[in-house]
Amino acid sequence: MPSFRFGDFILATEERKITRDGIELRLGTRAFDILSLLVANRDRVLTKGAILNAVWPDIAVEESNLTVHVSALRKALGARALATIPNRGYQFVLPVEEATPDSATGVGKRPDARPRILVLPFTNISNDPDQEYFSDGITDDAITDLSK
């Protein structure tokens, strides 16, 4: 399943998580399922019955359960994310783009924007194996100084 980006949000359907600016939002299982269904079918209005059958298969559930989850989604995503179509159902209305796997999972992005530096170990290029401690010491000093 693809991942989707809309506004500051990334919906990673395979990982079953949604993030905003790199911070994971807590959604209930059913709310996440409803959101995934609405985003995947964003080009059309989904009836309440279709959503109930998809999210709660083979279970009799009242429409009030759906209303509670839609309300939670609006609180998390903003009131304009989901449109209620009177007497028909719901539609996801924010502009959506399918995210690449790297951008969807946030690889290379962290909530704290501090830079990271990778220090590779120095190699002893002398012919004397007794000088190995010297290259190790330089590596340790570089890591210590950069971590400050």
Side-chain angles (χ1 to χ4, degrees), residues 5-7 35 37-46 74 77-85 89-97:
R5 179 184 301 271
F6 44 92
L35 177 60
L37 182 66
L38 288 170
V39 170
N41 294 282
R42 62 193 172 276
D43 56 334
R44 62 191 181 105
V45 176
L46 291 179
R74 285 188 173 132
L77 304 174
R80 296 183 179 165
L82 304 174
T84 301
I85 313 302
Y90 298 100
Q91 184 173 12
F92 190 83
V93 293
L94 293 179
V96 176
E97 64 182 57

Side-chain angles (χ1 to χ4, degrees), residues 95-126:
V96 176
E97 64 182 57
E98 288 195 32
T100 61
D102 286 345
S103 66
T105 58
V107 172
K109 296 182 181 180
R110 299 178 317 282
D112 63 338
R114 298 180 318 195
R116 290 190 178 179
I117 298 174
L118 174 66
V119 178
L120 298 174
F122 287 86
T123 305
N124 180 10
I125 58 172
S126 72

